[in-house]
Amino acid sequence: MNTFRIGLLTGTLLTGVLGSQAAFAQQNEEASADEDDNVIIVTGRLRGDEAVQDVPLAVTVVSPEQLAAQGALTIEDVEGLSPNLVIDPVGAGPGGGAISLRGVSFEDIEKSFEPTVGVVIDGVFIGTNTAQLTNAFDFEQVEVLRGPQGTLFGRNTIGGVINVQRSRPTKEFGARGEVTFGNFGRRELNGVLNVGDGDVFGLKLFGYDREFDGFYDNVTLGVDAGANSNTNIGATVLIEPTPALELLLTAEYSEIGGDPAVSSLSASTDVLCVLFANPNPVPPNTFNLIPEQCNRNLDEDLYTVFANELGSIDFEETALSAQINWDIGDLRVTSITALRDSDERVVQDFDGTSIPFFQTDRVQDYRQFSQELRLSGEFNEGLSGVVGLFYFENEYQLDQTTTLPGGAQVNPFTDHEVESFALFADFDLDLTDRLRLSAGARYSWDDKEFTRILAPGVQFSNAVSFEEFTPRVSLDFDISDDTLVYGSYARGYRAGGLNGRANSPSAVATAFGPETVDSFEVGLKNSFLGGDLILNFAAFLSKYDDKQEDVVQATPPGSANPQETVTLNAASAEIKGLEVDMRANLFEGFSLTASLGLLDADYENFFIDLNLDGNQDPGEDASTRQLRRAPDVTFSVAANYEVPVSDNSELDFNVSFRTLSSYQTTIVAAPGNFGANDPRGLHPATSDLSAAITYTFYTGEDSRIYARVFGRNLTDDTGLSSALPVAGLFTFGTGIPPRQYGVALGFEF
């Protein structure tokens, strides 16, 4: 891709021009920076450091201490710490996640689709669901910004942003390290080393290595299944020749491995079970081979799997970024240039049974390049904000071999390219000492090209372009120094595109348009007892239009198959909700955090034109189905108590409880009931009780050693994590991780 090389050259030249001056970029981003430990800092609005209580935005800030106290592994563990947030792993994509925020969700690992909730790591947007669930050891903090984000971050998102900030080089000699051992063969090593001259130069080396044997029992092969491994090494260089200039260069390499185990959830309605698990097989020359592998329960049966092929994940990625900030008076010029290049191969037995029925071997290359330029700060007395431009492109090639019943194989090839450009701005205007108006806007242009080779000599191509204007406005008022009330409106946009799984000329030719979310929000932020008690509320209404959904419909006359799956703007929805965030320091050494999310999400329209006649006939109304990953209730509470043992040691006790109501993970219709979701995709209501005890011995003013024992899901609450029925052929799913426990030993100096 020529523009890919041009963009990389542009970013390199920009780095060279500004690198001699270095920069100031998102400094002091600690979760509880400032001189007051009760002041929590948020940087997601790109205004520098702002107290979270002064921001007219629904945002949850998660510190690394909160994650570490739970024996946390990845971004996935942020789930219980923010209201209305659901994160489920997706095994078919290395490090992939199905992230839902305020009922706006997405789970597809095909790289032709864009995430609805963006994951941004050190200012770099991750363009696919792959490799989103990164390790949490080196996090400085995580910010969960709820609702559409397009005027603040480089890439527009309609559901929200999980903004991850890793630690910065300290420019002084120091190190942190931790080793963890747990059940299911968990072995993990994390480390960070800092060196520097204490003034201008700093170098941070970081890395982790993790092994996990998996919690499934494959009785066909006689082995544990669901293993995963993750290795990451990298370095960040900080150069700061003057207090106003800074250059951050990061290079890292990652590997992800394992096997993507799935459970057989096929039932007597699926073709697989009709052919091979029926006492009277159809046709008569088939056999009753897998009776015990069909019609299974959705709890303890999930953890016994039957795949005849273990499967494998091989993923390698190189990531480079250059972040430059230049402080000019009250303004900051920021440049973020980033390149990510990955190769992956995933072999998976999707049907999950002991007979070869549907297996895939997916080999793909993915590259993304992004360039963001911003000018932010105080433009005039009482007027602050950010203006910027963003360029993003990615391309991937997918060579997939699918093995069908009887050993027949198909080998489609996909080549997909995206080029996007956007201008955005967001400003705050002080109308009075207590009243502030905020307004922003974004204009986005997206171009996509797609080629699909279904067989030698059978090639189809398509190209689409989109552009969209998305505004934002809010008004906030300081009722007192400790109470802020605000109201806001924002529109989010996700570009349309082309279905990377299209397997017919008609599906290749079928493009889908953009989807939008109009979000209305009111909030109240309260601080009591000198900041020892924080209590924040947000209520919202989201109008979800032209919602992109995968639908199964008839193919045009003369097609090889009678039906196909296409992505269409088939639905609209209304989502209402209430959110509560609470933090309290009740007495010396004891703190409490809690969150509550209430959600009411319903389709307003969902029309699937099964017979392609252009009319909504009886049996084509799917609006009574449930939105995916939109639980009615999410709740969490965590208590932490620090008890001094001696003058230089302490014990920390952490207990957390989180629960969420049931929710659907599949949009596929129930057998015989077109208006309901397939019940096999229902994630049950679950609770997770976790606890940890940490002993810390301080060996110096800035050094310590510690030991931690932890347990997660102590009540062993198990059940279905997710499921996917595939075109009436078979159904597979995954289970909720059962009880886990372990010990961690660490040091810091």
Side-chain angles (χ1 to χ4, degrees), residues 34-53:
D34 204 90
E35 296 178 357
D36 185 350
D37 289 339
N38 288 334
V39 177
I40 298 172
I41 300 301
V42 62
T43 62
R45 295 205 319 141
L46 307 177
R47 309 290 204 272
D49 297 338
E50 296 180 291
V52 69
Q53 293 304 104

Side-chain angles (χ1 to χ4, degrees), residues 42 45 52 55-61 82-84 101-102 143-149 159-161 472 484 486 488 519 521-525 536-540 578-581:
V42 62
R45 295 205 319 141
V52 69
V55 173
L57 182 70
V59 55
T60 298
V61 180
S82 176
N84 288 324
L101 195 52
R102 290 184 168 179
E143 300 167 1
V144 181
L145 294 90
R146 304 188 290 277
Q149 307 293 326
V161 165
R472 187 197 74 86
L484 173 76
Y486 68 89
S488 68
S519 178
E521 181 177 323
V522 293
L524 180 66
K525 296 192 171 187
N536 296 334
F537 301 87
F540 65 91
L578 176 67
E579 297 166 342
V580 183
D581 268 314

Side-chain angles (χ1 to χ4, degrees), residues 67-68 70-75 77 133-139 177-191 207-213 228-232 706 708 710 712 740-746:
L67 293 170
Q70 302 177 40
L73 305 177
T74 70
I75 291 177
D77 300 290
L133 304 184
T134 185
N135 179 277
F137 180 76
D138 191 33
F139 287 3
E178 184 178 274
V179 59
T180 302
F181 299 96
N183 61 333
F184 300 114
R186 177 180 172 184
R187 305 169 297 280
E188 188 169 353
L189 178 64
N190 293 277
Y208 62 83
D209 185 73
R210 178 178 184 268
E211 298 285 341
F212 186 75
D213 292 344
N228 62 72
S229 63
N230 201 325
T231 300
N232 172 268
Y706 61 89
R708 177 183 299 117
F710 63 88
R712 309 180 65 187
Q740 298 182 57
Y741 50 84
V743 60
L745 305 173

Side-chain angles (χ1 to χ4, degrees), residues 92 218 220-221 260-262 272 276 290 293 306-312 345-363 399-412 503 726 729-730 732:
N218 187 311
T220 300
L221 302 176
V262 296
L272 173 65
F276 299 107
I290 54 170
Q293 299 175 33
F306 303 95
N308 58 289
E309 185 175 357
L310 191 59
S312 63
R345 181 183 182 186
V346 178
V347 178
Q348 187 163 6
D349 182 357
F350 271 104
D351 61 88
T353 67
S354 59
I355 60 173
F357 190 81
F358 192 93
Q359 286 123 344
T360 62
D361 186 345
R362 295 165 52 86
V363 178
D399 187 359
Q400 176 171 323
T401 300
T402 301
T403 304
L404 303 172
Q409 290 187 335
V410 293
N411 181 219
N503 282 320
V726 180
L729 299 174
F730 60 91
F732 67 93

Side-chain angles (χ1 to χ4, degrees), residues 248-326:
L248 276 169
L249 300 173
T250 299
E252 58 184 306
Y253 171 79
S254 301
E255 290 184 358
I256 300 175
D259 69 271
V262 296
S263 299
S264 171
L265 302 183
S266 297
S268 55
T269 53
D270 291 308
V271 171
L272 173 65
C273 296
V274 170
L275 293 178
F276 299 107
N278 194 319
N280 299 302
V282 181
N285 60 341
T286 58
F287 301 95
N288 190 12
L289 297 176
I290 54 170
E292 77 284 358
Q293 299 175 33
C294 291
N295 299 307
R296 307 171 74 231
N297 70 54
L298 300 182
D299 193 355
E300 63 268 12
D301 281 358
L302 291 169
Y303 304 92
T304 299
V305 297
F306 303 95
N308 58 289
E309 185 175 357
L310 191 59
S312 63
I313 295 174
D314 295 289
F315 174 88
E316 298 182 13
E317 181 178 65
T318 300
L320 306 172
S321 67
Q323 180 171 334
I324 306 168
N325 292 302
W326 182 12

Side-chain angles (χ1 to χ4, degrees), residues 140-220:
E140 192 68 53
Q141 75 175 37
V142 182
E143 300 167 1
V144 181
L145 294 90
R146 304 188 290 277
Q149 307 293 326
T151 62
L152 296 173
F153 286 87
R155 188 66 169 166
N156 49 280
T157 64
I158 63 171
V161 165
I162 299 178
N163 185 32
V164 178
Q165 300 161 9
R166 293 184 290 195
S167 68
R168 295 159 50 86
T170 63
K171 296 188 288 190
E172 297 178 349
F173 180 67
R176 296 187 296 125
E178 184 178 274
V179 59
T180 302
F181 299 96
N183 61 333
F184 300 114
R186 177 180 172 184
R187 305 169 297 280
E188 188 169 353
L189 178 64
N190 293 277
V192 175
L193 174 66
N194 274 286
V195 295
D197 63 1
D199 183 21
V200 175
F201 172 81
L203 170 66
K204 182 188 76 170
L205 303 176
F206 58 90
Y208 62 83
D209 185 73
R210 178 178 184 268
E211 298 285 341
F212 186 75
D213 292 344
F215 47 76
Y216 297 99
D217 179 19
N218 187 311
V219 296
T220 300

Side-chain angles (χ1 to χ4, degrees), residues 18 92 135 193 229 281 298 436 489 553 602 606 735:
L18 297 182
N135 179 277
L193 174 66
S229 63
L298 300 182
R436 177 174 56 176
Y489 160 77
Q553 63 181 22
D602 296 293
F606 190 177

